[in-house]
Amino acid sequence: MMSTTLGEEIQKVISKALPGLLEEKKEQLLQRLLSWGVESTDDLKYVEGAPGVDLSDLLPPIQIRKLLDSFMRAGEQNQSGDVPPTIPPPPSTVTLDTISPPSLSSTTAVTWPESFQVPWNQMPSELRSAVANGKRPLPPDRRKMIRIIVDEIRKHEKNPSKAQCLAVALKIVKKYPKSFSDFDDTQEKNEIGYYSLLKQIKTRVEHVNRDNTLSRRRRISGVTDTPERMQCREPTATYGCTQWQPEPPLANSDDVLEEKRQTLENLYQRYGKSGADRSDVCALMKETYYLQRKHINDTQVLPIKDLKSKWPYLFVQKHIYAHFEELTSIAIHKRLNQAIQEYGKVLVDFFKSKPTNEVVKKILSSEEEVGPLVIKLILAHFREDLDGLLLLANRCATAADLQATHTIPGSPRLIVLGDTLTSGHWMLTIEGEVVCEGIQPSFLSGLATLFASYYIFNLEYQEEAACTLEFIQRRFVGINPERGTKKSKGKVPSKTTGQMVQKKQVAVNPHVATLLCKVMDFQWNF
């Protein structure tokens, strides 16, 4: 029997551990393992705990645990007598331009993205000069660069997958972040803004293959949507979270935590919202985080009013912030305030230099604080209505008044009490219920609470404000997952049949990616 290659052996281990994983994700995992120096299946047992090893950008925590356990078993089996496959020697006729790193398999489909060399010597001189000086290249030069890169890519693969294009985009952005990243230096170091570059490369690939039916990639028909496959393809709930469902603190600890939950409920009945600052309440809320997530993530989803009756302090502004920070490792109010102050003026100047529509022009002529002004401009740019995210109500209205006199949408809304968004006092509604009344009378504190609710309660962005929310997520909050989306999975009319069809889901909204890129270009060039 013909011996299998290293790549095939590792693919078998990955497939056995995660049978529902998409092929492109398996390919990314394989390339990552080979780049770490895995030269046989016996080496897999050394992956866990090795310095610099991190798979959190590719897989959710539970899948990582399954994979690492499988790696350990594979290594133990090899030690018991199996002979690990070795990397076949490279062909005798190779050139310096095509040789692959020694730790990679010689299979072309696996190695070419890793060994791909960007032909910088073919780029326009203006672009090379901009890159050398750490500046943003002009859009026409960037488009020429994309055409040259795609021509070079197609020497290896006529229609490269998105994962292969991603490997090329990442290589470029990591090498020259100042020239090609979607983000500036104020972003966290682990956030690589490759979205617009990836979009341009993939769009160019699709353009050159538009008449080549033999090169088109199609989904495999007849594949059963197993729970593992569904979780891999649509990680909406865990999207952007680092502690979505932690392990229980102790074995059989649910009963103990339930007693603490009841204590919290009794404290709320005694002290009301004013008890949120008590030290015992803060300690109990932290200790019961696991049980809070368990109730929120239960397959039998509780209505929001029932969840509020179980966890009343979870719907107080202070503990919404604290829960979001535990969930995502981000201090939402501080992060949002800082981002608006640092980036808000840039956005306003960008829209002043070239207003994208008449509504944007009208908003620019008004005098408002930078926070509300920026959000209004983003909504107007994406042609999303203000009431898709924010509602105005009478300054003296109570929660009971609002629910009795207003038709409140089911998706989250921030209701500002007053004639303008700077009036201060606000309320948060979810599922048509007022669930939180602001303690800090400021627009940005309300916006932070609204945004946090999507992640805490596993909610999708409503269609009416999906682009604006994703822009806030990526530019202001700094949550940039490579997989999944928070956008609702609505239906749109088909361009060919006119019938309603499921909307295509993309990791990054192309309109959001375009605005991110344009604002960065504006920042650098002006």
Side-chain angles (χ1 to χ4, degrees):
M1 181 182 295
M2 185 181 296
S3 61
T4 56
T5 67
L6 173 64
E8 291 171 344
E9 287 293 326
I10 294 177
Q11 288 279 25
K12 287 180 182 178
V13 176
I14 296 173
S15 297
K16 186 175 180 180
L18 304 171
L21 198 62
L22 295 177
E23 290 302 321
E24 66 176 17
K25 190 59 65 175
K26 291 179 186 176
E27 185 178 305
Q28 285 181 278
L29 279 171
L30 177 60
Q31 292 179 17
R32 182 74 61 83
L33 292 168
L34 294 173
S35 69
W36 286 338
V38 173
E39 297 181 349
S40 71
T41 51
D42 184 51
D43 290 345
L44 293 174
K45 67 178 182 287
Y46 301 116
V47 171
E48 183 175 6
V53 167
D54 184 15
L55 295 172
S56 60
D57 59 326
L58 296 178
L59 299 172
I62 299 302
Q63 289 188 333
I64 293 175
R65 187 69 263 164
K66 289 180 181 179
L67 190 63
L68 293 176
D69 288 346
S70 183
F71 286 172
M72 290 299 293
R73 289 195 296 271
E76 291 168 359
Q77 288 173 0
N78 286 328
Q79 282 187 327
S80 66
D82 293 339
V83 179
T86 56
I87 303 175
S92 57
T93 56
V94 293
T95 66
L96 290 175
D97 293 333
T98 59
I99 190 166
S100 301
S103 63
L104 298 180
S105 165
S106 62
T107 306
T108 302
V110 173
T111 59
W112 81 255
E114 291 289 335
S115 61
F116 181 79
Q117 298 295 319
V118 178
W120 294 109
N121 60 325
Q122 299 177 29
M123 301 299 173
S125 59
E126 294 84 356
L127 182 136
R128 281 182 285 163
S129 176
V131 169
N133 293 309
K135 296 181 179 179
R136 303 282 290 184
L138 294 174
D141 294 332
R142 179 165 162 145
R143 288 194 291 270
K144 290 177 184 177
M145 180 192 79
I146 296 298
R147 290 196 289 271
I148 294 170
I149 289 173
V150 171
D151 288 344
E152 190 70 19
I153 287 175
R154 295 184 81 242
K155 294 177 182 178
H156 302 271
E157 180 82 39
K158 288 296 182 185
N159 188 24
S161 66
K162 184 177 179 181
Q164 291 168 330
C165 293
L166 170 61
V168 175
L170 276 174
K171 184 174 292 189
I172 295 170
V173 175
K174 283 183 177 179
K175 188 171 184 179
Y176 301 112
K178 291 185 177 180
S179 297
F180 298 107
S181 175
D182 293 335
F183 303 124
D184 57 24
D185 293 337
T186 62
Q187 292 296 106
E188 298 293 331
K189 291 182 180 180
N190 61 347
E191 294 173 10
I192 303 171
Y194 58 83
Y195 313 107
S196 60
L197 188 62
L198 172 61
K199 173 175 166 270
Q200 284 183 292
I201 292 174
K202 192 59 181 167
T203 300
R204 177 63 183 171
V205 167
E206 291 171 354
H207 176 73
V208 295
N209 284 321
R210 62 193 182 281
D211 297 323
N212 184 4
T213 57
L214 295 177
S215 291
R216 292 177 186 167
R217 294 180 181 269
R218 300 184 183 278
R219 288 190 60 185
I220 301 172
S221 60
V223 177
T224 303
D225 278 338
T226 61
E228 293 86 356
R229 186 176 178 86
M230 291 283 287
Q231 183 184 12
C232 177
R233 190 171 65 251
E234 300 176 337
T236 303
T238 60
Y239 181 84
C241 301
T242 58
Q243 287 289 329
W244 186 72
Q245 184 57 72
E247 296 294 326
L250 296 170
N252 302 317
S253 60
D254 281 21
D255 291 341
V256 176
L257 294 177
E258 175 59 24
E259 289 180 8
K260 293 183 177 182
R261 185 200 69 76
Q262 291 177 8
T263 300
L264 281 166
E265 199 173 340
N266 293 334
L267 286 169
Y268 188 83
Q269 291 174 359
R270 182 176 179 181
Y271 298 105
K273 289 183 292 185
S274 61
D277 292 325
R278 290 173 55 91
S279 59
D280 53 348
V281 169
C282 294
L284 286 168
M285 285 296 291
K286 188 174 181 63
E287 291 167 11
T288 56
Y289 176 79
Y290 157 76
L291 191 61
Q292 294 169 39
R293 295 309 309 167
K294 185 177 180 181
H295 286 171
I296 293 169
N297 299 337
D298 197 321
T299 53
Q300 299 296 324
V301 181
L302 289 172
I304 204 73
K305 61 182 180 181
D306 292 347
L307 192 61
K308 186 179 180 183
S309 69
K310 279 180 173 289
W311 298 99
Y313 280 118
L314 180 56
F315 294 83
V316 175
Q317 182 182 327
K318 175 176 182 172
H319 294 294
I320 287 178
Y321 292 168
H323 190 104
F324 183 84
E325 185 169 2
E326 187 78 20
L327 182 66
T328 64
S329 303
I330 294 172
I332 180 63
H333 191 207
K334 180 180 178 181
R335 175 73 65 87
L336 198 56
N337 264 290
Q338 183 178 353
I340 292 287
Q341 294 303 319
E342 292 177 353
Y343 193 68
K345 187 177 184 304
V346 174
L347 266 174
V348 173
D349 289 344
F350 167 77
F351 286 119
K352 282 181 178 178
S353 69
K354 191 176 181 180
T356 50
N357 58 53
E358 291 301 318
V359 181
V360 169
K361 288 182 181 179
K362 184 178 179 181
I363 293 171
L364 286 168
S365 65
S366 62
E367 294 184 3
E368 285 195 80
E369 291 181 6
V370 65
L373 178 61
V374 165
I375 300 305
K376 281 186 173 183
L377 286 171
I378 298 170
L379 282 162
H381 169 78
F382 291 126
R383 300 184 187 279
E384 295 174 335
D385 292 334
L386 183 67
D387 58 12
L389 192 66
L390 311 164
L391 299 173
L392 294 174
N394 187 287
R395 183 185 293 272
C396 300
T398 64
D401 293 336
L402 290 174
Q403 290 175 184
T405 59
H406 288 67
T407 302
I408 303 174
S411 51
R413 292 294 190 281
L414 183 68
I415 300 182
V416 180
L417 306 180
D419 299 327
T420 66
L421 296 182
T422 55
S423 299
H425 293 282
W426 53 266
M427 297 181 187
L428 172 68
T429 68
I430 303 175
E431 295 179 3
E433 301 273 342
V434 174
V435 297
C436 178
E437 297 182 48
I439 296 173
Q440 288 178 289
S442 73
F443 172 75
L444 287 182
S445 69
L447 184 64
T449 307
L450 169 70
F451 185 83
S453 70
Y454 291 97
Y455 288 79
I456 294 173
F457 304 114
N458 301 336
L459 303 173
E460 295 177 330
Y461 297 153
Q462 58 264 34
E463 185 69 27
E464 302 93 326
C467 290
T468 299
L469 285 164
E470 184 172 341
F471 189 89
I472 293 171
Q473 165 208 316
R474 295 189 180 280
R475 177 60 263 186
F476 296 151
V477 184
I479 296 178
N480 294 289
E482 293 183 6
R483 303 164 60 243
T485 176
K486 274 282 187 184
K487 189 175 181 181
S488 61
K489 301 168 183 62
K491 292 189 175 184
V492 294
S494 169
K495 292 181 180 179
T496 54
T497 65
Q499 297 179 344
M500 298 300 289
V501 295
Q502 195 70 41
K503 184 180 295 184
K504 182 180 178 182
Q505 294 295 305
V506 292
V508 183
N509 186 297
H511 302 298
V512 174
T514 299
L515 181 58
L516 285 168
C517 184
K518 285 183 176 180
V519 175
M520 274 297 294
D521 288 342
F522 170 81
Q523 227 175 330
W524 278 91
N525 296 321
F526 298 96

